[in-house]
Amino acid sequence: MIAAGADLIHFDVMDNHYVPNLTVGPLVCEAIKPIATVPIDVHLMVKPVDRIVPDFAKAGARIISFHPEASEHIDRTLALIRDQGCKAGLVFNPATPLAYLDHVIDKVDLVLIMSVNPGFGGQSFIASAIDKIREARRRIDASGRDIWLEVDGGIKAENIASVARAGADTFVAGSAIFGEKDRAAAVRRLREELKKATIET
Ligand code: ZN
């Protein structure tokens, strides 16, 4: 993936508790760290959150994001992630209000908008995410802070430009890349579509 031109490795952690699926943990993160010449972007879909944060920081995560519903104390979890030397992200499910940002936006380095419900790859992009991305962009710009706006779920060549036009700057692609035989070509195609969005705006 890195040779194919990925800027980040997005690492989905699912616990069969917060989400109904099970993936990988800190040991796998640690194992890929030596060959990951790009940052590892850990997306925690786990509950509770805090116990596992230091493990991922030690395992080489550069960014750690979590779902506000999965943490009893969101402000504390954000501080914990930053104390571990990582960028801290808040993740919003399709039905999770952006109001969670109201009192913590000064402690957030990344906002991750889910454009599918978390738990499984291969789902289709939920169209209402576009309005939410726009609103998240408005809030980020109003904050004046350097916060990444990432979108996760159903991103593909056909929709990446409209997601970018709504204000996203970071894109998670799973099936759009891993579902193709020529993965480098898949990354190139996503980038070409992205370029169109920047030319048009
Ligand atoms: Zn993810």
Side-chain angles (χ1 to χ4, degrees), residues 10-14 41-45 65 67 91 112 114 118 150-153 172:
H10 184 81
F11 193 93
D12 280 326
V13 184
M14 303 182 188
D41 169 29
V42 171
H43 173 191
L44 295 179
M45 287 164 272
S65 53
H67 292 251
V91 193
L112 173 48
M114 292 301 299
E150 183 174 39
V151 179
D152 188 1
V172 178

Side-chain angles (χ1 to χ4, degrees), residues 20 22 28 65 90 92 96 102 129 133 148 156 174 197:
L22 191 63
V28 176
S65 53
L90 263 191
F92 296 83
T96 305
D102 284 351
I133 295 160
W148 295 5
K156 50 190 180 179

Side-chain angles (χ1 to χ4, degrees), residues 31-68:
I32 67 169
K33 176 63 184 160
I35 52 168
T37 50
V38 298
I40 302 173
D41 169 29
V42 171
H43 173 191
L44 295 179
M45 287 164 272
V46 305
K47 187 176 182 176
V49 181
D50 294 8
R51 222 293 300 145
I52 203 88
V53 162
D55 295 10
F56 275 102
K58 280 188 204 88
R62 181 83 59 82
I63 304 159
I64 299 178
S65 53
F66 66 98
H67 292 251

Side-chain angles (χ1 to χ4, degrees), residues 112-158:
L112 173 48
I113 303 293
M114 292 301 299
S115 40
V116 300
N117 284 292
F120 299 94
Q123 302 184 74
S124 298
F125 187 89
I126 296 174
S128 60
I130 291 287
D131 285 340
K132 198 170 189 183
I133 295 160
R134 270 196 209 102
E135 172 59 16
R137 170 49 62 198
R138 193 192 63 71
R139 285 175 183 246
I140 289 169
D141 289 349
S143 79
R145 298 193 57 250
D146 177 22
I147 298 172
W148 295 5
L149 180 48
E150 183 174 39
V151 179
D152 188 1
I155 295 286
K156 50 190 180 179
E158 289 74 18

Side-chain angles (χ1 to χ4, degrees), residues 1 4-5 7-9 25 28 36 44 46 54 65 69-70 72 79 86-87 102 105 107 129 139 151 162 165 188 193:
M1 286 322 308
D7 299 308
L8 298 168
I9 297 297
V28 176
L44 295 179
V46 305
S65 53
E69 303 93 333
E72 302 293 341
C86 298
K87 284 177 178 283
D102 284 351
I105 197 158
K107 288 163 185 154
R139 285 175 183 246
V151 179
S162 56
R165 279 193 292 268
R188 273 198 304 277
E193 292 298 323

